[in-house]
Amino acid sequence: QIVSGSEDSTVRVWDVAAGHCLYIFIGHTSGIMSVAYSPQGNVVASRGGDGTEFELWDIETGSRVRRLSGHKSGTTSLAYSPQGDQLVSSGSDKEIRLWDVETGECRQTMTGHTAEVTMVLYSSKGDYITSVSDDKTVRLWNVGSGSSRKISKYHGGGIMDLKYSPKQNQVASCSKNSTIRLWDALTGVHSHTLTGHGESVYTISYSPQGDKLVSCSNDRTVRLWDVESGACLYTLTGHTYPVYDVTFSPRGDQIASVSWDKTVRLWNVSTGECQHVLTGHSHIIWVVTYSPQGNQVASAGEDGIVRLWSVETGDCQHSLIGHSKGIYKIVYSPNGDLIASASHDMTVRLWDVKTGMCSHIFIGHQSEVSRVVYSPRGDQIASASNDKSVRLWDTESGECLHTLVGHQQYIYAIAYSPRGNLIASWSNRGEARLWDVESGDCYWTLNYDVLTQSPSLYLSHPFVWTSADIGSFITGDCGGSVRGWEVRKEEGRYRVCMRWKSTNGQLTVEDACVQDVQGLNDINKRLLKQRRATGEPSVRLRDTSKKVMSMTSV
């Protein structure tokens, strides 16, 4: 069985094998925010958005067992003890309450947080409870005595960007709290915290050699860092408004930065001097990238124009005009002959770098296109849109090869695997999907909200592949946590394990398998093939395979 809660104020219990609804629990007066099975599977607890109460439902009879009330203001989270005899709840009243499931009585009220408590979780033995609060602390509570101690403080701000080192097993993250952190990608061990920026750090980039890191910030500066020592080598000043994007040249001898001041600046890595100030854009510039050869840099932004600049002279070689709205992503083909641009005018355009002419206009998305990436071989591009779909396009013919549907929110990031056989997509509220490029089938789905047990933690710039095989990847969220994952394919099944989690430099989860799922079952695969054969539009297909999810408390 599975249980679901909906904005229609009902809780439903489903037979997984048959797909039938067994029970409908009615009693809440507003949308259901969370549901939880008791460990024995005979009782379901539900939390609505209608105030301070929980409902307990009997699975066998379909009737309500009891209602738990006591919080002074809205409830935010609930969890069963491993034994199933207790239930813990948290609320915006800053309290944690411990309930007797049999009698419905409140056994303890735990206080200590100074702001809304957003999540509670039992230890594996049930003798401790961990709580997370908007006061930016994590507390560990003794169930017997009700006493607590502070065990962690958050990163201090959401993670804005993640980058993987090209030369070593290291990942860098930057945050709204103005810091940059360096981690071991295999173990999650934190090595350096880079401080110096005065405001949010938007983007970071490793040098091709992996020995340096560059960052840009809302404080209008660009900083160059030594990776080994963590020392700041240069603070590059000159921009008059926040700097939004920064990148190294392919040789690592130059840095390009773009700002809300409508300029592109090219900097010498050895001296820290500004070599060129490139002007011509009429609005905020969002993105900058070097050609693979390093002789050209491209920029784009709110004015809807892609500009190609000579690195040597600083001259504008081409202004690529055609989009009717702002451009938020540009990417060169692997050989540097073409450049793709994604725009809020709902199109992707492919441009010839030598002539400046548009070779293809990819039309099909029904909303703004926010992301575009090239496949490693350069024969495909993938685009992601606010219409909640990913589209795969043939760069030679301009044909749409697959439309990948299933996300429930707009898609924030996409990335091809290094071999190009898989593509990962992430929605802005934390749903991740892994797709087969050849067939277009969805192999794997992970709900980040379920994993973190906090709907407020959505992925910011969430995804970097870290190996050339199916291998591993790194994610970051707006709660300030970085996680390392491993993906394995065993007899047609994708097994995804969280290898580590680090918050504020503290390793808190290690080697916890969180999901082992079969891909779309045979019935859904046949249905999908039939729809494609008849020309019917693709629809989201429910994966009725069994899903096993667990969280390990450390």
Side-chain angles (χ1 to χ4, degrees), residues 24 49 54 60-61 141 146 164 193 200 203 218 222 231 247 320 333 337 355 391 393 405 453 471 483 492 517:
I24 302 176
F54 296 90
E60 297 296 328
T61 64
W141 305 82
Y164 189 75
T193 299
S200 297
T203 307
N218 196 62
V222 175
T247 187
L320 312 182
S333 61
D337 292 341
T355 66
R391 288 178 177 257
W393 310 87
V405 294
Q453 296 193 6
R483 289 173 169 84
V517 302

PDB file of all heavy atoms in Angstrom, residues 24 49 54 60-61 141 146 164 193 200 203 218 222 231 247 320 333 337 355 391 393 405 453 471 483 492 517:
ATOM      1  N   ILE A  24     -10.657   6.431   1.593  1.00  0.00           N
ATOM      2  CA  ILE A  24     -10.547   7.880   1.526  1.00  0.00           C
ATOM      3  C   ILE A  24     -10.854   8.414   2.914  1.00  0.00           C
ATOM      4  O   ILE A  24     -11.947   8.211   3.443  1.00  0.00           O
ATOM      5  CB  ILE A  24     -11.519   8.504   0.501  1.00  0.00           C
ATOM      6  CG1 ILE A  24     -11.285   7.919  -0.895  1.00  0.00           C
ATOM      7  CG2 ILE A  24     -11.345  10.024   0.472  1.00  0.00           C
ATOM      8  CD1 ILE A  24     -12.278   8.425  -1.931  1.00  0.00           C
ATOM      9  N   GLY A  49      -3.058  21.704   6.636  1.00  0.00           N
ATOM     10  CA  GLY A  49      -2.673  23.099   6.750  1.00  0.00           C
ATOM     11  C   GLY A  49      -3.708  23.909   7.483  1.00  0.00           C
ATOM     12  O   GLY A  49      -3.726  25.138   7.412  1.00  0.00           O
ATOM     13  N   PHE A  54      -3.438  16.996  14.468  1.00  0.00           N
ATOM     14  CA  PHE A  54      -3.106  15.830  13.672  1.00  0.00           C
ATOM     15  C   PHE A  54      -4.283  14.866  13.716  1.00  0.00           C
ATOM     16  O   PHE A  54      -5.036  14.830  14.693  1.00  0.00           O
ATOM     17  CB  PHE A  54      -1.872  15.098  14.222  1.00  0.00           C
ATOM     18  CG  PHE A  54      -0.610  15.897  14.166  1.00  0.00           C
ATOM     19  CD1 PHE A  54      -0.228  16.706  15.225  1.00  0.00           C
ATOM     20  CD2 PHE A  54       0.207  15.836  13.053  1.00  0.00           C
ATOM     21  CE1 PHE A  54       0.939  17.427  15.175  1.00  0.00           C
ATOM     22  CE2 PHE A  54       1.375  16.563  12.999  1.00  0.00           C
ATOM     23  CZ  PHE A  54       1.736  17.361  14.060  1.00  0.00           C
ATOM     24  N   GLU A  60      -7.084  -0.672   8.719  1.00  0.00           N
ATOM     25  CA  GLU A  60      -7.948  -1.841   8.561  1.00  0.00           C
ATOM     26  C   GLU A  60      -9.405  -1.442   8.375  1.00  0.00           C
ATOM     27  O   GLU A  60     -10.130  -1.980   7.538  1.00  0.00           O
ATOM     28  CB  GLU A  60      -7.816  -2.775   9.772  1.00  0.00           C
ATOM     29  CG  GLU A  60      -6.427  -3.362   9.954  1.00  0.00           C
ATOM     30  CD  GLU A  60      -6.033  -4.266   8.792  1.00  0.00           C
ATOM     31  OE1 GLU A  60      -6.931  -4.912   8.207  1.00  0.00           O
ATOM     32  OE2 GLU A  60      -4.835  -4.301   8.460  1.00  0.00           O
ATOM     33  N   THR A  61      -9.860  -0.473   9.166  1.00  0.00           N
ATOM     34  CA  THR A  61     -11.279  -0.105   9.143  1.00  0.00           C
ATOM     35  C   THR A  61     -11.562   1.130   8.314  1.00  0.00           C
ATOM     36  O   THR A  61     -12.712   1.382   7.922  1.00  0.00           O
ATOM     37  CB  THR A  61     -11.781   0.150  10.580  1.00  0.00           C
ATOM     38  OG1 THR A  61     -11.078   1.288  11.125  1.00  0.00           O
ATOM     39  CG2 THR A  61     -11.511  -1.061  11.458  1.00  0.00           C
ATOM     40  N   TRP A 141      17.510  15.963  21.324  1.00  0.00           N
ATOM     41  CA  TRP A 141      16.701  15.877  22.536  1.00  0.00           C
ATOM     42  C   TRP A 141      16.731  14.451  23.098  1.00  0.00           C
ATOM     43  O   TRP A 141      16.593  13.479  22.354  1.00  0.00           O
ATOM     44  CB  TRP A 141      15.250  16.253  22.247  1.00  0.00           C
ATOM     45  CG  TRP A 141      15.075  17.599  21.617  1.00  0.00           C
ATOM     46  CD1 TRP A 141      15.215  17.912  20.301  1.00  0.00           C
ATOM     47  CD2 TRP A 141      14.738  18.819  22.271  1.00  0.00           C
ATOM     48  NE1 TRP A 141      14.982  19.241  20.090  1.00  0.00           N
ATOM     49  CE2 TRP A 141      14.679  19.833  21.283  1.00  0.00           C
ATOM     50  CE3 TRP A 141      14.458  19.170  23.603  1.00  0.00           C
ATOM     51  CZ2 TRP A 141      14.370  21.158  21.585  1.00  0.00           C
ATOM     52  CZ3 TRP A 141      14.142  20.478  23.900  1.00  0.00           C
ATOM     53  CH2 TRP A 141      14.101  21.457  22.904  1.00  0.00           C
ATOM     54  N   GLY A 146      13.858  14.889  28.272  1.00  0.00           N
ATOM     55  CA  GLY A 146      13.388  16.088  27.603  1.00  0.00           C
ATOM     56  C   GLY A 146      14.445  17.165  27.468  1.00  0.00           C
ATOM     57  O   GLY A 146      14.173  18.260  26.956  1.00  0.00           O
ATOM     58  N   TYR A 164      32.807  21.193  -9.528  1.00  0.00           N
ATOM     59  CA  TYR A 164      33.689  20.067  -9.261  1.00  0.00           C
ATOM     60  C   TYR A 164      35.060  20.359  -9.842  1.00  0.00           C
ATOM     61  O   TYR A 164      35.184  20.817 -10.977  1.00  0.00           O
ATOM     62  CB  TYR A 164      33.106  18.796  -9.873  1.00  0.00           C
ATOM     63  CG  TYR A 164      33.838  17.532  -9.473  1.00  0.00           C
ATOM     64  CD1 TYR A 164      33.675  16.998  -8.204  1.00  0.00           C
ATOM     65  CD2 TYR A 164      34.680  16.885 -10.362  1.00  0.00           C
ATOM     66  CE1 TYR A 164      34.332  15.846  -7.831  1.00  0.00           C
ATOM     67  CE2 TYR A 164      35.341  15.727  -9.993  1.00  0.00           C
ATOM     68  CZ  TYR A 164      35.164  15.207  -8.725  1.00  0.00           C
ATOM     69  OH  TYR A 164      35.822  14.077  -8.368  1.00  0.00           O
ATOM     70  N   THR A 193      37.256  26.974   4.408  1.00  0.00           N
ATOM     71  CA  THR A 193      36.203  27.973   4.262  1.00  0.00           C
ATOM     72  C   THR A 193      36.857  29.261   3.806  1.00  0.00           C
ATOM     73  O   THR A 193      37.731  29.801   4.501  1.00  0.00           O
ATOM     74  CB  THR A 193      35.448  28.211   5.580  1.00  0.00           C
ATOM     75  OG1 THR A 193      34.828  26.995   6.002  1.00  0.00           O
ATOM     76  CG2 THR A 193      34.367  29.267   5.391  1.00  0.00           C
ATOM     77  N   SER A 200      26.363  38.012  -0.702  1.00  0.00           N
ATOM     78  CA  SER A 200      26.119  36.711  -1.346  1.00  0.00           C
ATOM     79  C   SER A 200      27.110  36.452  -2.474  1.00  0.00           C
ATOM     80  O   SER A 200      27.407  37.345  -3.273  1.00  0.00           O
ATOM     81  CB  SER A 200      24.698  36.660  -1.916  1.00  0.00           C
ATOM     82  OG  SER A 200      23.743  36.763  -0.898  1.00  0.00           O
ATOM     83  N   THR A 203      28.474  32.926  -8.089  1.00  0.00           N
ATOM     84  CA  THR A 203      29.045  31.924  -9.000  1.00  0.00           C
ATOM     85  C   THR A 203      30.508  31.674  -8.643  1.00  0.00           C
ATOM     86  O   THR A 203      31.211  32.596  -8.225  1.00  0.00           O
ATOM     87  CB  THR A 203      28.961  32.389 -10.464  1.00  0.00           C
ATOM     88  OG1 THR A 203      27.615  32.756 -10.762  1.00  0.00           O
ATOM     89  CG2 THR A 203      29.386  31.284 -11.418  1.00  0.00           C
ATOM     90  N   ASN A 218      27.648  39.686  -4.884  1.00  0.00           N
ATOM     91  CA  ASN A 218      26.779  40.856  -4.833  1.00  0.00           C
ATOM     92  C   ASN A 218      27.524  42.091  -4.305  1.00  0.00           C
ATOM     93  O   ASN A 218      27.035  43.216  -4.432  1.00  0.00           O
ATOM     94  CB  ASN A 218      25.578  40.554  -3.931  1.00  0.00           C
ATOM     95  CG  ASN A 218      24.437  41.533  -4.116  1.00  0.00           C
ATOM     96  OD1 ASN A 218      23.866  41.631  -5.194  1.00  0.00           O
ATOM     97  ND2 ASN A 218      24.109  42.267  -3.060  1.00  0.00           N
ATOM     98  N   VAL A 222      35.216  40.489  -7.727  1.00  0.00           N
ATOM     99  CA  VAL A 222      35.620  39.150  -8.136  1.00  0.00           C
ATOM    100  C   VAL A 222      36.849  38.794  -7.309  1.00  0.00           C
ATOM    101  O   VAL A 222      37.754  39.627  -7.146  1.00  0.00           O
ATOM    102  CB  VAL A 222      35.959  39.099  -9.640  1.00  0.00           C
ATOM    103  CG1 VAL A 222      36.492  37.723 -10.036  1.00  0.00           C
ATOM    104  CG2 VAL A 222      34.744  39.468 -10.478  1.00  0.00           C
ATOM    105  N   ALA A 231      43.961  30.755   0.483  1.00  0.00           N
ATOM    106  CA  ALA A 231      44.268  32.184   0.545  1.00  0.00           C
ATOM    107  C   ALA A 231      43.677  32.924  -0.653  1.00  0.00           C
ATOM    108  O   ALA A 231      43.579  32.370  -1.755  1.00  0.00           O
ATOM    109  CB  ALA A 231      45.777  32.394   0.583  1.00  0.00           C
ATOM    110  N   THR A 247      34.034  33.134 -15.089  1.00  0.00           N
ATOM    111  CA  THR A 247      34.583  31.873 -15.597  1.00  0.00           C
ATOM    112  C   THR A 247      36.039  32.046 -16.012  1.00  0.00           C
ATOM    113  O   THR A 247      36.474  33.158 -16.342  1.00  0.00           O
ATOM    114  CB  THR A 247      33.757  31.356 -16.790  1.00  0.00           C
ATOM    115  OG1 THR A 247      34.209  30.045 -17.148  1.00  0.00           O
ATOM    116  CG2 THR A 247      33.866  32.274 -17.990  1.00  0.00           C
ATOM    117  N   LEU A 320      24.380  38.685 -32.061  1.00  0.00           N
ATOM    118  CA  LEU A 320      23.424  37.678 -32.536  1.00  0.00           C
ATOM    119  C   LEU A 320      22.026  38.110 -32.105  1.00  0.00           C
ATOM    120  O   LEU A 320      21.647  37.981 -30.930  1.00  0.00           O
ATOM    121  CB  LEU A 320      23.782  36.303 -31.977  1.00  0.00           C
ATOM    122  CG  LEU A 320      25.268  35.892 -32.124  1.00  0.00           C
ATOM    123  CD1 LEU A 320      25.494  34.488 -31.567  1.00  0.00           C
ATOM    124  CD2 LEU A 320      25.712  35.980 -33.573  1.00  0.00           C
ATOM    125  N   SER A 333      29.205  24.715 -28.690  1.00  0.00           N
ATOM    126  CA  SER A 333      29.333  23.307 -29.055  1.00  0.00           C
ATOM    127  C   SER A 333      30.746  22.844 -28.683  1.00  0.00           C
ATOM    128  O   SER A 333      31.653  23.663 -28.538  1.00  0.00           O
ATOM    129  CB  SER A 333      29.086  23.114 -30.550  1.00  0.00           C
ATOM    130  OG  SER A 333      30.047  23.833 -31.308  1.00  0.00           O
ATOM    131  N   ASP A 337      32.196  25.621 -33.057  1.00  0.00           N
ATOM    132  CA  ASP A 337      31.650  26.182 -34.304  1.00  0.00           C
ATOM    133  C   ASP A 337      30.267  26.805 -34.109  1.00  0.00           C
ATOM    134  O   ASP A 337      29.866  27.681 -34.878  1.00  0.00           O
ATOM    135  CB  ASP A 337      31.559  25.093 -35.380  1.00  0.00           C
ATOM    136  CG  ASP A 337      32.928  24.626 -35.842  1.00  0.00           C
ATOM    137  OD1 ASP A 337      33.904  25.371 -35.615  1.00  0.00           O
ATOM    138  OD2 ASP A 337      33.019  23.526 -36.414  1.00  0.00           O
ATOM    139  N   THR A 355      29.823  33.155 -38.961  1.00  0.00           N
ATOM    140  CA  THR A 355      29.003  34.085 -39.747  1.00  0.00           C
ATOM    141  C   THR A 355      28.062  34.925 -38.898  1.00  0.00           C
ATOM    142  O   THR A 355      27.591  35.976 -39.351  1.00  0.00           O
ATOM    143  CB  THR A 355      28.166  33.307 -40.776  1.00  0.00           C
ATOM    144  OG1 THR A 355      27.201  32.477 -40.081  1.00  0.00           O
ATOM    145  CG2 THR A 355      29.050  32.423 -41.643  1.00  0.00           C
ATOM    146  N   ARG A 391      13.455  18.919 -23.445  1.00  0.00           N
ATOM    147  CA  ARG A 391      13.409  18.493 -24.845  1.00  0.00           C
ATOM    148  C   ARG A 391      14.823  18.217 -25.343  1.00  0.00           C
ATOM    149  O   ARG A 391      15.753  18.980 -25.048  1.00  0.00           O
ATOM    150  CB  ARG A 391      12.731  19.549 -25.725  1.00  0.00           C
ATOM    151  CG  ARG A 391      11.217  19.624 -25.506  1.00  0.00           C
ATOM    152  CD  ARG A 391      10.556  20.700 -26.336  1.00  0.00           C
ATOM    153  NE  ARG A 391       9.106  20.713 -26.165  1.00  0.00           N
ATOM    154  CZ  ARG A 391       8.233  20.228 -27.039  1.00  0.00           C
ATOM    155  NH1 ARG A 391       8.659  19.700 -28.180  1.00  0.00           N
ATOM    156  NH2 ARG A 391       6.933  20.272 -26.793  1.00  0.00           N
ATOM    157  N   TRP A 393      17.119  17.748 -28.753  1.00  0.00           N
ATOM    158  CA  TRP A 393      17.079  18.206 -30.133  1.00  0.00           C
ATOM    159  C   TRP A 393      18.290  17.693 -30.910  1.00  0.00           C
ATOM    160  O   TRP A 393      19.397  17.623 -30.364  1.00  0.00           O
ATOM    161  CB  TRP A 393      17.091  19.732 -30.189  1.00  0.00           C
ATOM    162  CG  TRP A 393      16.089  20.423 -29.315  1.00  0.00           C
ATOM    163  CD1 TRP A 393      16.249  20.765 -27.999  1.00  0.00           C
ATOM    164  CD2 TRP A 393      14.777  20.869 -29.683  1.00  0.00           C
ATOM    165  NE1 TRP A 393      15.124  21.395 -27.528  1.00  0.00           N
ATOM    166  CE2 TRP A 393      14.201  21.481 -28.536  1.00  0.00           C
ATOM    167  CE3 TRP A 393      14.037  20.823 -30.868  1.00  0.00           C
ATOM    168  CZ2 TRP A 393      12.924  22.034 -28.540  1.00  0.00           C
ATOM    169  CZ3 TRP A 393      12.757  21.373 -30.863  1.00  0.00           C
ATOM    170  CH2 TRP A 393      12.215  21.968 -29.722  1.00  0.00           C
ATOM    171  N   VAL A 405       8.651  14.370 -20.034  1.00  0.00           N
ATOM    172  CA  VAL A 405       7.653  14.977 -19.151  1.00  0.00           C
ATOM    173  C   VAL A 405       7.507  14.155 -17.888  1.00  0.00           C
ATOM    174  O   VAL A 405       7.736  12.944 -17.885  1.00  0.00           O
ATOM    175  CB  VAL A 405       6.288  15.110 -19.862  1.00  0.00           C
ATOM    176  CG1 VAL A 405       6.376  16.087 -21.004  1.00  0.00           C
ATOM    177  CG2 VAL A 405       5.784  13.751 -20.350  1.00  0.00           C
ATOM    178  N   GLN A 453      12.889  15.863   4.248  1.00  0.00           N
ATOM    179  CA  GLN A 453      11.717  16.050   5.105  1.00  0.00           C
ATOM    180  C   GLN A 453      11.492  17.536   5.400  1.00  0.00           C
ATOM    181  O   GLN A 453      11.097  17.919   6.482  1.00  0.00           O
ATOM    182  CB  GLN A 453      11.859  15.271   6.411  1.00  0.00           C
ATOM    183  CG  GLN A 453      11.911  13.765   6.175  1.00  0.00           C
ATOM    184  CD  GLN A 453      11.745  12.977   7.453  1.00  0.00           C
ATOM    185  OE1 GLN A 453      11.482  13.510   8.515  1.00  0.00           O
ATOM    186  NE2 GLN A 453      11.906  11.679   7.362  1.00  0.00           N
ATOM    187  N   GLY A 471      28.369   6.448 -12.260  1.00  0.00           N
ATOM    188  CA  GLY A 471      29.165   7.005 -11.202  1.00  0.00           C
ATOM    189  C   GLY A 471      28.495   7.779 -10.099  1.00  0.00           C
ATOM    190  O   GLY A 471      27.715   7.243  -9.343  1.00  0.00           O
ATOM    191  N   ARG A 483      25.443  17.310  -0.602  1.00  0.00           N
ATOM    192  CA  ARG A 483      25.347  15.860  -0.506  1.00  0.00           C
ATOM    193  C   ARG A 483      26.095  15.191  -1.652  1.00  0.00           C
ATOM    194  O   ARG A 483      26.065  15.681  -2.777  1.00  0.00           O
ATOM    195  CB  ARG A 483      23.876  15.408  -0.540  1.00  0.00           C
ATOM    196  CG  ARG A 483      23.084  15.740   0.715  1.00  0.00           C
ATOM    197  CD  ARG A 483      21.607  15.412   0.516  1.00  0.00           C
ATOM    198  NE  ARG A 483      20.853  15.468   1.755  1.00  0.00           N
ATOM    199  CZ  ARG A 483      20.346  16.565   2.285  1.00  0.00           C
ATOM    200  NH1 ARG A 483      20.503  17.727   1.656  1.00  0.00           N
ATOM    201  NH2 ARG A 483      19.682  16.531   3.420  1.00  0.00           N
ATOM    202  N   GLY A 492      19.588  -4.046 -14.531  1.00  0.00           N
ATOM    203  CA  GLY A 492      18.517  -3.193 -15.018  1.00  0.00           C
ATOM    204  C   GLY A 492      17.909  -2.269 -13.988  1.00  0.00           C
ATOM    205  O   GLY A 492      16.990  -1.512 -14.286  1.00  0.00           O
ATOM    206  N   VAL A 517      15.067   1.773  -6.880  1.00  0.00           N
ATOM    207  CA  VAL A 517      13.808   1.699  -7.618  1.00  0.00           C
ATOM    208  C   VAL A 517      14.000   1.043  -8.966  1.00  0.00           C
ATOM    209  O   VAL A 517      15.033   1.150  -9.586  1.00  0.00           O
ATOM    210  CB  VAL A 517      13.192   3.113  -7.835  1.00  0.00           C
ATOM    211  CG1 VAL A 517      12.953   3.802  -6.519  1.00  0.00           C
ATOM    212  CG2 VAL A 517      14.050   3.966  -8.729  1.00  0.00           C
TER     213      VAL A 517
END
